[in-house]
Amino acid sequence: MMEISKRITILGSTGSIGRQSLEVIAACGMEVAALAANSSVKRMEEQARQFKPELAVLADEKAAADLRVRLADTNVRVLSGMGGLIEAATVSSADTAIAALVGMVGLRPTLAAIREGKRIALANKETLVCAGPLVLEEAKDYGARILPVDSEHSALFQSLEGNRDRGEVKRLILTCSGGPFYGKKTEELQGMTREDALQHPNWSMGAKITVDSATLMNKGLEVIEAMHLYHMPVEKISVVIHRESIIHSLVEYCDNAMIAQLGAPDMCLPIQYALTWPKRIASTATTPLDLWNCGTLTFGTPDLDTFRCLALALEAAKTGGTAGAILNGANEAAVAQFLAGEIGFLEIAQRVALAMERVPVVQDPTLNDILEADAAAREAVR
Ligand code: MG
């Protein structure tokens, strides 16, 4: 039986998932081997002083140089760049890597950790969206166990436990809060700003994923992620609007039984389960769900005409090959433009659609094909 994680590397430690991961690690008495992030110097310094990793990495060279000075009185080694991220991912004393970097930048470090046979707690959905078959094949070859951290995928994982014959699964149902613009029509979305998009009703998350939640691209990426993780065709994956985020996803079986996982809308539980599976442990990090006071649960159909990003993602899922990498690369570039105030909210979907039209799809792609598709999609958006 697989053991509970003991010593952990966090790729993306200063972000929302990274910080909640450290809460779980502290509550469960686990150790930190390495911490890596993009450029948040102050937060990284605090984390390094508190958790005493052997290695702290900032991808940004200047930020890393600053961190090196700040941590000069400690034993923490400081590295930078993609080389540093990969070194953090492969630190030999770690049995587990939490992959929580945002975006395509997480792909190579995650693959490096997989090749070391580590337990991978996967929060970086772009990795599977862009390179699902490749990543899963490597995981199989190197004996690396991938455990989902995304709340929906953790819920599906938990609802699939005990299932011995995947043929008995009728479909996977991902729940979707609907995001901050739920119920709005296209005309009303015209003038939506960065500030409007960054107000999420239930979850507190980083800027990129919060915008993805507003466009419903996040759910689209999750459909593709689920397709790869659970080897299901996109036709057998459905999305249901569930505003309350209490049911985190469901599996419908061939006899029409539905098995769901419920919990408070709090990422600490899926993070912790990815670190303790196949065991469950009690910890102060996770929040109990007060079922008696959580009110009415509602369900509805997503509006694919208004939230075109979800429709585009379903199309990319059907196309396969590098379509996921094109969708994702275009979306990352368009969301960055939106966050910089350069384009309007509705233009995110328009630019993703444009990239999908312009960039040719390659089937059965190599890693290089995927990286090229990503770059071409970003270029098309610019
Ligand atoms: Mg999610």
Side-chain angles (χ1 to χ4, degrees), residues 198-232:
L198 293 182
Q199 305 287 335
H200 195 280
N202 303 339
W203 299 94
S204 80
M205 305 174 291
K208 196 264 178 181
I209 185 171
T210 306
V211 174
D212 285 348
S213 297
T215 60
L216 298 200
M217 178 60 92
N218 183 54
K219 207 51 53 180
L221 298 176
E222 288 180 357
V223 168
I224 301 177
E225 190 185 1
M227 185 175 92
H228 293 310
L229 265 179
Y230 304 116
H231 308 286
M232 294 288 278

Side-chain angles (χ1 to χ4, degrees), residues 30 36 50 72 79 83 104 114 136 190 308:
M30 295 162 177
Q50 187 184 348
L79 291 174
M104 182 70 175
I114 286 173
L136 294 169
Q190 194 72 51
R308 283 182 64 208

Side-chain angles (χ1 to χ4, degrees), residues 125 150-153 209 218-219 222 267:
K125 59 191 75 176
D150 213 344
S151 60
E152 294 79 359
H153 303 80
I209 185 171
N218 183 54
K219 207 51 53 180
E222 288 180 357
M267 289 306 295

Side-chain angles (χ1 to χ4, degrees), residues 14 37-48 58 60 62-71:
T14 60
N38 184 33
S39 61
S40 305
V41 181
K42 267 195 77 182
R43 200 165 256 162
M44 180 58 88
E45 183 192 354
E46 284 166 21
Q47 292 182 344
L58 288 174
D60 184 271
K62 268 179 77 181
D66 185 1
L67 182 69
R68 199 167 289 121
V69 174
R70 287 167 180 258
L71 291 177

